[in-house]
Amino acid sequence: MNKLIKKLDNIKKGEFMNKISTELKQGIKLHCIKTDLYKTDISCIIITTPLKRETVTKNALIPFMLRRGTKKLPTQYLINKEMENMYGASFNCGIDKMGDNVILKFYIESINNEYSLNNENILKSNIENLLDIVFDPVQNDKLLNRDFLEIEKENLKKVIESKIDSKDSYAFEACISAMYGENGFGLYKYGYIEDVDKITIEEISEYYNWLIQNAKIDIFISGHIDEKEMENLLVRNENIKKLRPRVENYILNNESTEIKQKVEKPQEVVEKLDVTQGKLVLGLDICSNFENFQGIAVVYNAILGDGANSMMFQNVREKAGLAYSAKSVLVKQKLNIFIRCGIQIENYEKTLEIIKLQLENIKNGNFSDEDMYNAKMYLISGIKNVEEEQDTEIVYYIGQEISKTNISLEEYIEKIQKVTRKEVIDFASSVNLNTIYFLRN
Amino acid sequence: MQIIENSKIKEKLYIEKLNNDLTIMIMPKKTRKKYIAWSTNYGSIDNKFYSRDGKYHEVPDGIAHYLEHKLFEQENGRNSLDVLTSLGVDANAYTTNDHTAYLYECTDNFFEALDEFMNYVQNPYFTDENVEKERGIIEQEIMMYDDYPEWSVYMNAMKAMYKNNEINIDVAGTKESIAKITPDKLYEIYDSFYYPSNMVLVLVGDINPKEILEDIKNRMILKYKNPTKRIYEEEPQEIVTKYIEKEMNISMPIVLVGYKDNDLTSNKIKKDIAVDILSVLLLGKSSEFFENLYESGKILAEPSANYEFSKRYAHVLIQVQTNYIEEFLKEMDTQIKNIKENGIKLEDFERAKKRVYGDFIKEYNDVSDIATNLISDYFKDINTFEYLEEFTSMNKEYVEKVLEEVFVENRKVVSVIKPFTKKD
């Protein structure tokens, strides 16, 4: 058996006892999340690599190519038949942006073995198929299947074009892009139309083979499982045996790595599209570091715009009646907060004024102890929910793994509880408006 | 208390009727979460009725949804949504075409929240001022939906299928209709439709059925009331129009095909399962139909098909995104015709059935999914567990019969959202 370095994360106080991480090889980890709360198991392979203009489109194309067939099940129809036979196991893949990195994710959700009608080992079959999809695609002489390429390039183009279909997320992406340009976090996760045509089968195959031998790989399995059994299954799997140890090569984004300068005057971007409702997005920078950054940032954001008691919800929606949806989102990795709301186009100035007033109010300490209490309560109850929702729990652990943070849910709650009014006010002074983006007709 | 047990999903459902005629359903689950929803059988389709004094009422479209927003207002000036949020519980409400539900879920403070929750649902407080204040918010909600192509394609399909049935009305109403909503009208609705025998209270999660019943009874204010009578328009058998389209700023057309099903008396659960199985067989990712269209670049993802029904309507909806509308529709018709003529292959049938079974099991994971299903099934006079019972006896012949009877050309409508035509 391979040399296994066993590491138990956060045994402290028993809170994280249900997650056991094992390094299978350098740069390749197995994370078992043991839970008997669900009727389903989820297996998930995550590949993490930096977002770069040169490779962003190729990264996006890879899941499209891989879902098409494995050596054992060489067409997607065979894969789909197999999934249906496994009681409608749902296989899916996609691309996510996390700070300056892109995450390629491949996952299968299926019912737990105890609900099978003929005693099949559904989980084992799914894990093996998932590993085949990612690491053992149809290949000829190290080239991926040429026949799939043209159609998948067309499919990728359609996905890139569909960016416009959801106006809310279009506006959000457009604001990020206005702030960061075509760099790292500013890139569109599905890439760019003009790159797609140029990609050849040689290029995508070479990139794929480089990626699986060099990128950080994490395998998450959540469900009614035995971690020893899972580990054995993976260690003996031919696909895992073929993978070489690697140095994790991705960009670590956090409050120490990101340094922001205050911009004097925020840039204003107005874009016109045929929309009924205007979509307003404000991009804010957090311009200094704090000791308990994690705690203070989430409390500040909750007071500002996360939840029904927040200033955004209360003032923009409830008092002024300007919006149905009015909130703020914290992007921890990049030290940004984004304020988002959908408004009547002629209310642009009025809404902006009210939002700016809220930002000033926090800065000047114009919020009550009750606001502090409500924000903390809201956040803590959210954290307590993490272990009660299977996908939320996996997403939480992925975030921890990529940001190399190891705080237990209990520690996270403590960090929130100890945040003081003064800390929120100090933090507010470091929050600076960078970009105002408005999508209108 | 009535107890129904299902050995396949390994869950128990406790049902009790209180003295005031309110039905309570409880499903204990292994989780730290507790979920409660109180729902009344009043939705956007119920716009004409006789109140208990015999008076006839016609209310503005969107009033059920407006009431849902406003029920949170309390006489003490507080908004119950704020109060519940302060307790760290996740509170919300929603309105459908046939019911309105108020809910919260939490891991802590369940009983503190229960006081507030049961108090606000049972104590409406509508004033000119608080009703007026909401108008702008709901207008923005309506406009937000106007920008969703999936919503437009659905509403248009309803308009193409139904001439008079109130399902063709937008749940939130229109800017014009909600302008007519007043506190008096909201009180009239509350009084006419928020009475115990018209409601159901559902609890799912870390809950002890016997104990919780006492807690509910202690907080119960609503008294027994006689039912009110609703008036619905007679719906002709025919569809309104075969085709409807709209242009929006989107990248690829969205197509929704609907088959109006006029048979409202047959076993809906069986039919629902049959449509799920047909969806896999006709359009699923393992079908030749999908393979051909995918390989020729005409579709990108699996079309979805489902059976949407209540006591007042039933239809099949098939949705897909494609640049090749004509080809897709033609191929789909051919596929339906072929299976009608040649029958379903037993192997395909068994595989599709396994997939549908797995999907049922998955619905019993999340407390909120379970509660939502229990409520909507209750108002359709369905016992949710029956799905698993009917499933076992489902055979190929029945599914073929549903295909023959429901997927009929002269009851078919096509609703399309197209990207704007490019102008020079």
Side-chain angles (χ1 to χ4, degrees), chain B residues 62-81:
Chain B
I63 196 165
H65 172 254
Y66 210 107
L67 197 159
E68 173 230 298
H69 271 237
K70 290 299 16 153
L71 199 54
F72 289 97
E73 299 282 353
Q74 292 302 291
E75 199 171 354
N76 60 13
R78 298 288 312 241
N79 181 303
S80 284
L81 183 66

Side-chain angles (χ1 to χ4, degrees), chain B residues 360-371:
Chain B
F360 284 144
I361 300 287
K362 286 180 203 162
E363 285 178 12
Y364 287 89
N365 244 353
D366 179 59
V367 292
S368 104
D369 288 347
I370 297 169

Side-chain angles (χ1 to χ4, degrees), chain B residues 131-180:
Chain B
V131 171
E132 191 50 46
K133 192 200 81 185
E134 206 69 16
R135 238 178 283 275
I137 298 170
I138 295 179
E139 272 174 26
Q140 287 312 309
E141 190 177 358
I142 293 170
M143 286 168 83
M144 180 181 83
Y145 276 96
D146 284 344
D147 282 335
Y148 292 158
E150 293 82 2
W151 184 246
S152 296
V153 83
Y154 172 79
M155 280 319 299
N156 275 351
M158 293 305 118
K159 284 171 190 154
M161 239 180 308
Y162 296 99
K163 182 162 183 281
N164 300 326
N165 192 303
E166 293 76 6
I167 179 124
N168 66 14
I169 299 168
D170 197 317
V171 172
T174 62
K175 197 179 165 184
E176 293 71 34
S177 72
I178 64 166
K180 295 176 207 143

Side-chain angles (χ1 to χ4, degrees), chain A residues 36 39-40 67-68 76 84-85 88 120 151-152 155 165 167 276-277 374 381 384 387-389, chain B residues 9 11 30-33 86 88 108-109 140 147 249 251 286 294-295 300 351 354 362 365:
Chain A
D36 57 357
K39 297 190 192 299
T40 44
R67 68 181 184 185
R68 291 299 305 268
Q76 59 172 324
E84 284 172 1
N85 272 322
E120 294 100 329
I151 192 139
E152 294 309 333
N155 286 340
D165 293 356
K167 306 296 181 283
T276 315
Q277 186 186 53
N374 286 341
S381 69
K384 287 187 173 171
E387 283 185 324
E388 309 297 315
E389 289 167 9
Chain B
I9 52 159
E11 302 289 1
K30 189 174 172 184
T31 169
R32 266 184 278 172
K33 272 196 194 181
S86 301
D108 296 320
N109 288 346
Q140 287 312 309
D147 282 335
N249 198 333
S251 62
S286 62
Y294 187 94
E295 292 297 341
L300 188 59
R351 202 182 58 247
K354 272 179 114 179
K362 286 180 203 162
N365 244 353

Side-chain angles (χ1 to χ4, degrees), chain A residues 15 36-40 64 67-68 75-77 80-91 109-112 114-118 120 147-148 151-152 154-156 158-159 161-168 273-279 307-309 313-314 317-325 342-345 347 370 373-374 377-378 380-382 384-385 387-390, chain B residues 8-11 29-33 65 69-70 73 78-79 81-90 105-109 133-134 136-141 143-149 175 247-252 254 280 284-287 290-300 302 321 323-324 347-348 350-352 354-359 361-362 364-366 391 420:
Chain A
E15 189 71 44
D36 57 357
L37 296 182
Y38 314 102
K39 297 190 192 299
T40 44
F64 284 81
R67 68 181 184 185
R68 291 299 305 268
T75 70
Q76 59 172 324
Y77 317 103
N80 293 331
K81 277 190 177 166
E82 176 66 14
M83 295 297 147
E84 284 172 1
N85 272 322
M86 288 296 126
Y87 301 91
S90 41
F91 161 67
E109 185 190 12
S110 63
I111 59 169
N112 195 284
E114 66 180 287
Y115 296 98
S116 77
L117 299 169
N118 312 312
E120 294 100 329
D147 297 341
F148 299 157
I151 192 139
E152 294 309 333
E154 286 308 309
N155 286 340
L156 176 58
K158 285 175 197 154
V159 169
E161 284 164 356
S162 73
K163 184 181 179 183
I164 201 143
D165 293 356
S166 163
K167 306 296 181 283
D168 296 323
L273 270 183
D274 187 84
V275 286
T276 315
Q277 186 186 53
K279 321 285 174 192
N309 284 316
F313 193 91
Q314 286 299 323
R317 174 176 155 142
E318 291 299 308
K319 288 209 182 82
L322 290 167
Y324 169 70
S325 156
I343 53 169
Q344 206 143 347
I345 288 149
N347 288 335
E370 198 187 343
Y373 173 84
N374 286 341
M377 199 67 184
Y378 174 79
I380 291 167
S381 69
K384 287 187 173 171
N385 263 335
E387 283 185 324
E388 309 297 315
E389 289 167 9
Q390 199 168 20
Chain B
K8 287 202 191 68
I9 52 159
K10 300 173 187 163
E11 302 289 1
K29 287 274 294 175
K30 189 174 172 184
T31 169
R32 266 184 278 172
K33 272 196 194 181
H65 172 254
H69 271 237
K70 290 299 16 153
E73 299 282 353
R78 298 288 312 241
N79 181 303
L81 183 66
D82 302 349
V83 177
L84 290 168
T85 308
S86 301
L87 288 166
V89 311
D90 189 1
E105 63 176 289
C106 61
T107 48
D108 296 320
N109 288 346
K133 192 200 81 185
E134 206 69 16
I137 298 170
I138 295 179
E139 272 174 26
Q140 287 312 309
E141 190 177 358
M143 286 168 83
M144 180 181 83
Y145 276 96
D146 284 344
D147 282 335
Y148 292 158
K175 197 179 165 184
E247 290 189 351
M248 287 178 83
N249 198 333
I250 53 167
S251 62
M252 205 197 298
I254 299 175
V280 178
K285 278 199 262 188
S286 62
S287 67
F290 178 82
E291 183 171 357
N292 292 336
L293 287 171
Y294 187 94
E295 292 297 341
S296 54
K298 290 187 181 113
I299 56 174
L300 188 59
E302 188 180 55
Q321 209 169 1
N323 281 318
Y324 303 85
E347 182 206 337
D348 291 345
E350 292 301 334
R351 202 182 58 247
K354 272 179 114 179
R355 172 170 163 184
V356 173
Y357 170 81
D359 290 343
I361 300 287
K362 286 180 203 162
Y364 287 89
N365 244 353
D366 179 59
F391 183 84
F420 283 114

Side-chain angles (χ1 to χ4, degrees), chain A residues 202-255:
Chain A
E202 288 76 17
E203 271 180 326
I204 192 73
S205 306
E206 192 191 340
Y207 184 69
Y208 162 75
N209 283 304
W210 177 86
L211 194 69
I212 59 164
Q213 290 300 352
N214 293 280
K216 170 174 171 56
I217 294 174
D218 292 278
I219 301 166
F220 289 84
I221 304 172
S222 161
H224 205 170
I225 53 170
D226 176 73
E227 73 277 13
K228 264 278 155 236
E229 200 186 316
M230 293 300 114
E231 194 183 307
N232 283 333
L233 180 67
L234 284 170
V235 168
R236 288 182 192 146
N237 184 282
E238 288 304 316
N239 292 305
I240 299 291
K241 283 186 191 167
K242 280 192 310 196
L243 296 174
R244 293 195 297 260
R246 72 278 318 271
V247 179
E248 286 183 355
N249 168 29
Y250 73 102
I251 297 166
L252 191 63
N253 296 110
N254 60 37
E255 60 274 22

